[in-house]
Amino acid sequence: MTSPALARPSDTELLTLALDIASEAGRMIATAREGTVTVADRKSSSTDVVTQVDRDAEALIRHRIAEARPDDAFFGEESGGGEGSSGLTWVVDPIDGTVNYLYGIPHYAVSIAVVEGPADPAHWIERVGVVLNPATGETFTAVRGGGAFLGDRALSIPTPPALDQALIATGFAYDAELRGRQGAAVAAMLPRVRDIRRLGTASLDLCNLAAGRVDAYFERTLNPWDHAAGGLVVQEAGGVVVGRGGNAPSREFLIAVHPDLLASVEDLLDEIRA
């Protein structure tokens, strides 16, 4: 029988556990980066790489969760899913921004979310999110209904500028043909906005929006682990995270933005066939 204490933890307890696990994984990842990091395998394409550190970090995270919350489900980028009976699922990306990590670019993150329900954005309810950058030490957190934070600083997305003054973040798919179309769409967008940023880590792109560092973010072909934690940070900072036409975010599309800028961004994306 599932223990009531395990089945119904407080969000504060879940956040504390997620922070502890992310911090431990982050230390391991940062230490490994002091040595030589190489490609261990390729996944969906020749540019979609994984390092052994990705795998080791997810194994550590999965083990720590299983120790503390054996009845919870797990869904990770590297090792897939695991069944649970508590109604909670841990959605994990051990190193979001693996290519940045591989090259030593200090823009990558451990992303850990706890959701109620399955690892499906159309059906889950995000409860806790942690996004930690091991290279800089920045840690973003959010609890459903409890706000979003960068360290101890509460986050609130500022009132956005007009679209032509907006700084837009995006990312590209691994599929070569789709990347070509995305590049053409970005070229069409550039004259219509302040500028474009492509930093290579979806979870941190979302958190940058929550921190007011960009004004909007959109991307295609994201997986649940890419945006589960960062998406909650955006929502708790006052933003919206949606797919096209108000649907839930999915591999087809994700847009994150202040509500006042959503319609303008959607119209532009339609115009440029993004």
Side-chain angles (χ1 to χ4, degrees):
M1 179 178 294
T2 300
S3 163
L6 288 176
R8 297 182 180 84
S10 72
D11 289 341
T12 300
E13 291 171 325
L14 291 172
L15 178 62
T16 298
L17 178 59
L19 270 170
D20 288 346
I21 294 172
S23 297
E24 183 178 358
R27 289 191 297 271
M28 188 196 81
I29 290 163
T31 299
R33 194 63 199 74
E34 294 172 2
T36 300
V37 177
T38 59
V39 174
D41 200 358
R42 288 169 171 81
K43 296 185 284 188
S44 63
S45 75
S46 62
T47 56
D48 184 7
V49 300
V50 60
T51 72
Q52 187 59 45
V53 186
D54 289 82
R55 293 171 172 171
D56 292 344
E58 181 157 309
L60 169 66
I61 293 167
R62 189 166 189 167
H63 177 68
R64 292 289 183 260
I65 293 168
E67 282 185 324
R69 301 279 313 160
D71 295 331
D72 293 352
F74 181 90
F75 189 63
E77 179 175 14
E78 308 306 336
S79 60
E83 296 291 326
S85 59
S86 70
L88 299 178
T89 303
W90 292 71
V91 184
V92 172
D93 193 341
I95 305 179
D96 187 19
T98 295
V99 173
N100 286 346
Y101 181 70
L102 180 67
Y103 279 81
I105 299 169
H107 194 271
Y108 49 87
V110 180
S111 176
I112 299 177
V114 185
V115 305
E116 193 171 324
D120 178 355
H123 298 101
W124 72 29
I125 299 172
E126 305 103 318
R127 290 190 45 183
V128 165
V130 173
V131 178
L132 181 152
N133 183 338
T136 66
E138 284 195 330
T139 304
F140 297 86
T141 60
V143 171
R144 186 174 188 85
F149 295 83
L150 170 53
D152 295 330
R153 177 168 68 89
L155 298 178
S156 178
I157 299 176
T159 301
L163 183 62
D164 64 353
Q165 295 298 306
L167 183 62
I168 311 293
T170 191
F172 300 128
Y174 290 113
D175 177 78
E177 190 273 334
L178 179 54
R179 287 165 69 89
R181 297 204 309 269
Q182 290 174 314
V186 166
M189 175 180 282
L190 269 170
R192 307 282 297 275
V193 299
R194 182 188 296 275
D195 209 344
I196 303 290
R197 292 292 180 268
R198 191 275 197 262
L199 300 174
T201 308
S203 59
L204 290 177
D205 287 335
L206 288 160
C207 291
N208 281 340
L209 170 64
R213 296 169 177 172
V214 297
D215 298 305
Y217 165 66
F218 73 96
E219 190 162 348
R220 294 184 66 179
T221 70
L222 291 178
N223 291 294
W225 53 75
D226 293 314
H227 62 86
L232 182 60
V233 174
V234 169
Q235 293 173 70
E236 288 298 321
V240 293
V241 183
V242 296
R244 300 301 287 273
N247 293 317
S250 67
R251 280 187 61 82
E252 179 59 28
F253 223 95
L254 178 147
I255 306 168
V257 66
H258 189 287
D260 292 349
L261 196 59
L262 177 60
S264 297
V265 171
E266 287 185 315
D267 289 345
L268 177 58
L269 293 174
D270 286 338
E271 287 181 37
I272 65 175
R273 297 174 182 259

